[in-house]
Amino acid sequence: MRAKLTSLDWLGIMLALFSLRQVFNISTGIIKKMTGNEVLGDEIYISRFLDLNDWSISIITAVIGFFITIYIIFKVIPLKLRFTFILSGLLGGILGYVIWFEYLGKVLFNFF
């Protein structure tokens, strides 16, 4: 664990946390499946193309993303910033999802 983070550390953290997309994708996919909705996405299409179970690629990438996130939170982020980091990541992720899928994405790509 580091005592102080440099700009390069923050850049690495930001880039590594893109792997959280995979954890989010499988979480929302499971919720959609449980509610009877169709689950589609890049990982599903790749799995089908490779003639694998639909969830194969999603599970593999989610596990990798989960371990990257755990490493970042417990080995890179200093203890005094950890709670703030987790809370802001959670709120920022939810807010980003809502802004993109409910507002900005519809405007930019004219979805109805």
Side-chain angles (χ1 to χ4, degrees), residues 69-99:
T69 304
I70 294 299
Y71 176 80
I72 292 296
I73 290 172
F74 292 106
K75 292 290 185 182
V76 177
I77 302 295
L79 184 59
K80 66 180 183 175
L81 297 176
R82 198 170 290 159
F83 178 75
T84 304
F85 182 80
I86 293 170
L87 184 62
S88 62
L90 182 63
L91 293 175
I94 292 169
L95 187 61
Y97 179 84
V98 170
I99 289 171

Side-chain angles (χ1 to χ4, degrees), residues 28-51:
T28 56
I30 290 169
I31 291 169
K32 284 180 181 179
K33 188 73 170 173
M34 289 172 42
T35 58
N37 294 320
E38 186 176 14
V39 180
L40 295 174
D42 295 340
E43 294 80 8
I44 302 288
Y45 295 133
I46 293 168
S47 293
R48 288 178 181 172
F49 177 78
L50 296 173
D51 200 28

Side-chain angles (χ1 to χ4, degrees), residues 2-84:
R2 301 190 174 125
K4 186 176 179 186
L5 297 174
T6 66
S7 296
L8 189 59
D9 291 331
W10 282 114
L11 178 63
I13 290 168
M14 184 195 74
L15 292 175
L17 289 180
F18 277 104
S19 64
L20 269 176
R21 175 185 178 271
Q22 304 306 325
V23 177
F24 181 78
N25 283 350
I26 200 163
S27 301
T28 56
I30 290 169
I31 291 169
K32 284 180 181 179
K33 188 73 170 173
M34 289 172 42
T35 58
N37 294 320
E38 186 176 14
V39 180
L40 295 174
D42 295 340
E43 294 80 8
I44 302 288
Y45 295 133
I46 293 168
S47 293
R48 288 178 181 172
F49 177 78
L50 296 173
D51 200 28
L52 300 170
N53 179 285
D54 282 356
W55 293 93
S56 299
I57 301 296
S58 295
I59 291 170
I60 292 167
T61 57
V63 168
I64 293 168
F66 177 76
F67 283 117
I68 289 171
T69 304
I70 294 299
Y71 176 80
I72 292 296
I73 290 172
F74 292 106
K75 292 290 185 182
V76 177
I77 302 295
L79 184 59
K80 66 180 183 175
L81 297 176
R82 198 170 290 159
F83 178 75
T84 304

